[in-house]
Amino acid sequence: MLLPTPADLRAALSRYADAVIEDERHSTPESVRRREDTAYTLCVMTGVSEVREALSTADALLNRNVAEEPGHADHSGAVPV
């Protein structure tokens, strides 16, 4: 599976959050459709079928990318192997 870039993943998460907020404020057929479309996009990008799992997977991917950045200090307490 091809992994999305951190920038693309952040953009998709932002679009999903915006769609959820708009749908919660004032639900219309259009806002529901936008929420479903952005959830689907996240699922496709993360290779899962449920939006909650997609959000969790996106967080894990972004955390992994941060941990792999040069100069990133590991404060997890884990001993590197």
Side-chain angles (χ1 to χ4, degrees):
M1 177 175 92
L2 292 175
L3 295 178
T5 66
D8 288 340
L9 204 47
R10 286 185 189 101
L13 287 166
S14 178
R15 285 191 299 271
Y16 177 72
D18 289 344
V20 169
I21 290 167
E22 181 60 31
D23 189 44
E24 293 292 323
R25 282 185 182 161
H26 181 68
S27 188
T28 65
E30 183 179 308
S31 70
V32 170
R33 173 66 185 243
R34 184 166 176 240
R35 185 176 184 161
E36 291 171 350
D37 287 349
T38 57
Y40 176 79
T41 298
L42 274 174
C43 288
V44 169
M45 290 177 81
T46 57
V48 299
S49 60
E50 297 292 326
V51 72
R52 287 183 187 265
E53 189 178 358
L55 294 169
S56 178
T57 301
D59 284 343
L61 288 170
L62 289 172
N63 286 333
R64 187 175 84 188
N65 284 323
V66 168
E68 292 174 355
E69 289 177 357
H72 173 73
D74 182 5
H75 299 292
S76 67
V79 178
V81 179

